[in-house]
Amino acid sequence: MQGIGVLGGVFDPLHWGHLCLAHRLGRELGLAEVRLMPTPCPPHKPPPMAPARHRLAALWLAVRGDALLRVDGRELRWPGWSYTIDVVCALRKELQSRRPLCLLLGADAFAGFTGWREWRAISRRAHLVVAARPGAPAPEAGRELSARATRDPIRLRTAPGGAVYLARCGGPAIS
């Protein structure tokens, strides 16, 4: 079954690296779609400079006419802090229970993943797809997540979540 990819972030500013990464991973994994999900203000970063409505509008303009990429602005409508576990739970309710859900992460985000709220629950309910940055060392998964590491994209189609996929392609060397 084709999965759904999710690339979350502040997108302040949105740049070609975000779009290129979403396309490359979407093709590599054979995803039905990749949802770009802007967050209002992540709890682990400084507030974005651009207002949420501008960042959302930039995403809509960037994906217009794109067959793979979709914009999902639900987090911008939620009150208070937004956490990845909330997004995963909301998407799990919306999707067919067995449909694969793939969280697309850069190696830099993955490096701090075990510090995220309810990271174990996230990693059971969704696959983690990790893309290394060009010229950066391979991402470290830690013992608990390393046991679920794979480079076989077929594994991501046979379960709704739980694998850690080390992507063959990364994004371009821009940010």
Side-chain angles (χ1 to χ4, degrees):
M1 180 180 304
Q2 279 189 300
I4 301 292
V6 175
L7 178 60
V10 179
F11 301 109
D12 186 32
L14 172 65
H15 56 75
W16 181 244
H18 296 124
L19 302 174
C20 188
L21 179 66
H23 268 282
R24 286 180 181 183
L25 292 174
R27 284 191 309 267
E28 182 175 324
L29 301 175
L31 299 174
E33 64 183 50
V34 175
R35 296 184 186 186
L36 303 175
M37 296 186 78
T39 187
C41 182
H44 60 284
K45 289 185 175 182
M49 294 181 65
R53 70 182 186 280
H54 292 172
R55 293 181 287 121
L56 186 62
L59 283 166
W60 281 112
L61 289 170
V63 305
R64 187 176 50 199
D66 192 298
L68 178 64
L69 304 183
R70 305 281 180 268
V71 176
D72 187 328
R74 76 179 73 207
E75 281 189 89
L76 299 176
R77 296 185 298 272
W78 290 348
W81 292 109
S82 178
Y83 294 96
T84 302
I85 186 62
D86 301 324
V87 171
V88 169
C89 288
L91 288 169
R92 272 283 148 235
K93 285 181 185 176
E94 175 185 316
L95 299 173
Q96 298 169 10
S97 62
R98 297 294 303 161
R99 188 157 198 185
L101 178 61
C102 301
L103 292 181
L104 311 182
L105 305 170
D108 53 339
F110 184 67
F113 180 73
T114 57
W116 292 15
R117 177 179 284 207
E118 297 187 50
W119 67 271
R120 286 182 177 93
I122 295 167
S123 68
R124 284 190 308 270
R125 292 182 174 125
H127 298 300
L128 305 179
V129 176
V130 184
R133 291 197 185 266
E140 294 289 324
R143 185 173 36 192
E144 189 171 337
L145 293 173
S146 290
R148 296 190 256 154
T150 184
R151 288 196 181 267
D152 181 4
I154 301 299
R155 269 193 63 197
L156 301 176
R157 295 183 195 132
T158 60
V164 177
Y165 180 78
L166 304 173
R168 288 179 175 77
C169 69
I174 58 173
S175 65

